[in-house]
Amino acid sequence: LRRNRDLEEVMITDGADVIVQSDPFEAWRAEGGHAVMVGAEPTDILLGDCRWHMTNCFSCADRVWRRTRRAVMGNMAAVCDQISPYPIVNIGVMLGTVQAMQKWMHNFEILIVNSSLMCEEQLLLNAQLWAGVR
């Protein structure tokens, strides 16, 4: 992204299960062209309703506690409770301005590297988005 200065917008996808049937930026622009738009699971299923996500979240909190004997990223168990009423966003489809995507990637990389957690990236994305975890 840094090398191609002509790009204004970019989309990152998990190519294994994403099918693009029309211009994805058309919907993004119709929504106001926010800096970054992310994909989500069906929004009638919230994080707290999903046993898989909540089990992973509390397992992550337990691993952090056992590894460090202190709260990392705030209290991760409290983060699990805090994100439970929100929709499940994922990294499978993200699009936005190049500048905003670069900033998000940089911040997400710092979160992953500095957290020293072995937590699933979708969980960390939701913690970052809904609970402000940095």
Side-chain angles (χ1 to χ4, degrees):
L1 291 177
R2 288 185 192 120
R3 285 185 234 148
N4 192 339
R5 303 278 184 208
D6 296 333
L7 291 177
E8 294 179 17
E9 305 159 340
V10 65
M11 180 171 80
I12 300 170
T13 68
D14 173 357
D17 62 359
V18 174
I19 298 172
V20 178
Q21 296 180 323
S22 63
D23 180 1
F25 293 98
E26 188 176 313
W28 175 71
R29 288 182 200 105
E31 288 292 324
H34 301 290
V36 175
M37 181 182 269
V38 297
E41 304 298 327
T43 56
D44 59 334
I45 302 171
L46 304 178
L47 282 156
D49 299 332
C50 179
R51 185 181 319 166
W52 186 83
H53 283 90
M54 285 294 99
T55 298
N56 281 339
C57 194
F58 285 105
S59 293
C60 172
D62 185 55
R63 282 192 303 276
V64 170
W65 178 253
R66 281 188 281 129
R67 185 178 301 153
T68 65
R69 291 291 184 232
R70 62 188 172 85
V72 175
M73 296 171 30
N75 179 342
M76 191 61 189
V79 168
C80 297
D81 290 331
Q82 192 174 351
I83 67 174
S84 67
Y86 293 98
I88 303 164
V89 297
N90 61 59
I91 299 176
V93 177
M94 298 183 75
L95 54 98
T97 65
V98 169
Q99 182 179 7
M101 292 295 284
Q102 286 176 318
K103 183 176 181 178
W104 174 81
M105 284 187 270
H106 175 76
N107 290 335
F108 196 65
E109 180 181 31
I110 289 171
L111 172 63
I112 291 171
V113 170
N114 290 343
S115 67
S116 71
L117 303 178
M118 297 305 292
C119 297
E120 194 262 337
E121 80 280 349
Q122 189 175 33
L123 172 64
L124 292 176
L125 174 65
N126 280 276
Q128 181 186 45
L129 178 65
W130 301 124
V133 170
R134 302 279 178 248

